[in-house]
Amino acid sequence: TQYPRIVFFSGDSNKSDHASFLQWRNEVQCLIRENHPQAHILQAIRRSLKSAAAEALLNLGPNTTVQQIINKFDVIFGNALSSQALLEDFYKATQQEKESSTAWGCRLESLLNQTRKRACTLRTRMLL
């Protein structure tokens, strides 16, 4: 069986050869949208995790689902800032001295998307 591959994720932002949590999460979400079997996605997740992220998965146990992993990792590795703090970071963002225009644009877009997602999450929780 050919399992899909996901970028390596360790939970350590200092590892340049490992993806950020948002990149890793996006790849998992794409596999879900592409209707890969849950067992294949779980295998890809297990193979992609290193260090602290792999330890976090161990704590979930062998019968965990993809959604349970995403939910747990959102809590552990997701952005803990409030939507207001994220929006403040967006408004304060300036292009760094050696940062390309493209990288700066991507960083701004990421901040805005994080703010939007956090606001949607808070709205959903308030409705429940």
Side-chain angles (χ1 to χ4, degrees):
T1 301
Q2 184 81 17
Y3 293 105
R5 292 183 56 96
I6 303 173
V7 295
F8 289 125
F9 173 64
S10 65
D12 183 356
S13 59
N14 294 324
K15 297 223 179 209
S16 61
D17 59 335
H18 293 179
S20 70
F21 173 65
L22 292 177
Q23 292 167 329
W24 179 87
R25 189 182 194 285
N26 182 62
E27 287 201 21
V28 173
Q29 294 286 33
C30 287
L31 293 177
I32 293 168
R33 276 193 306 274
E34 293 168 359
N35 294 317
H36 285 270
Q38 171 123 327
H40 292 192
I41 299 172
L42 286 167
Q43 183 64 25
I45 288 172
R46 286 190 294 269
R47 290 180 176 176
S48 73
L49 299 178
K50 307 292 179 205
S51 303
E55 289 294 321
L57 181 63
L58 283 176
N59 294 329
L60 288 172
N63 297 320
T64 190
T65 66
V66 172
Q67 194 56 53
Q68 288 171 326
I69 293 169
I70 291 173
N71 292 345
K72 180 72 171 184
F73 280 29
D74 278 342
V75 171
I76 297 171
F77 302 110
N79 196 325
L81 296 175
S82 69
S83 56
Q84 184 175 4
L86 286 168
L87 192 57
E88 186 177 320
D89 285 350
F90 173 78
Y91 285 125
K92 287 182 178 178
T94 58
Q95 186 174 1
Q96 302 300 312
E97 189 173 314
K98 294 184 178 185
E99 186 176 32
S100 71
S101 298
T102 303
W104 184 49
C106 288
R107 187 164 54 88
L108 286 175
E109 186 175 20
S110 177
L111 282 169
L112 190 58
N113 284 334
Q114 288 177 47
T115 304
R116 188 177 333 121
K117 286 178 185 177
R118 179 58 50 94
C120 288
T121 301
L122 291 174
R123 221 173 323 176
T124 301
R125 287 181 185 162
M126 289 172 63
L127 293 174
L128 297 176

